[in-house]
Amino acid sequence: QVQLVESGGGLVQPGGSLKLSCVAPGRIFNVFTMGWYRQAPGKPRELVAAIIGAGKTEYADSVKGRFTISRDNGKNTVYLQMNNVKSEDTAVYYCYRYFQGRTSWGQGTQVTVSS
């Protein structure tokens, strides 16, 4: 069972910033598709952002211009920089790794946006 380890969640005020990190195992990290989903209470899990291979990125419309996904292949780490956060960004954020039809997940990290 592949285990992804997330960190960086917490409480942040509206308009503030937070950076999530996720470390994924694998000697070929650079070819994995990596990304973040989130799930708010009572809502389905939704894709927030993904980074594919060398660096193609995708974002949910709700976070475009505010969130940035990036990766450091030397550290097997993917990041989610969250700026100008809003109350509706409150959710558990899950990191995932996709490769050759198989998806692995992190345990989730809580992000709460509140004053």
Side-chain angles (χ1 to χ4, degrees), residues 7-24:
S7 60
L11 175 65
V12 59
Q13 292 185 344
S17 297
L18 205 62
K19 187 173 185 178
L20 307 182
S21 301
C22 172
V23 179

Side-chain angles (χ1 to χ4, degrees), residues 27-100:
R27 288 184 291 178
I28 53 172
F29 177 83
N30 58 302
V31 303
F32 298 152
T33 293
M34 301 293 302
W36 297 87
Y37 273 75
R38 67 186 180 186
Q39 187 166 22
K43 294 186 178 180
R45 191 175 291 194
E46 64 170 348
L47 178 65
V48 177
I51 186 164
I52 304 163
K56 178 183 177 182
T57 57
E58 298 179 350
Y59 295 93
D61 287 343
S62 59
V63 306
K64 284 181 180 176
R66 300 189 297 120
F67 290 10
T68 302
I69 189 170
S70 61
R71 66 195 300 163
D72 184 336
N73 293 330
K75 297 181 178 180
N76 276 35
T77 301
V78 64
Y79 304 98
L80 185 68
Q81 177 67 48
M82 307 167 60
N83 296 330
N84 190 24
V85 296
K86 304 175 181 180
S87 57
E88 51 262 43
D89 295 322
T90 295
V92 178
Y93 285 70
Y94 297 90
C95 173
Y96 77 93
R97 184 193 87 172
Y98 175 82
F99 182 64
Q100 293 186 339

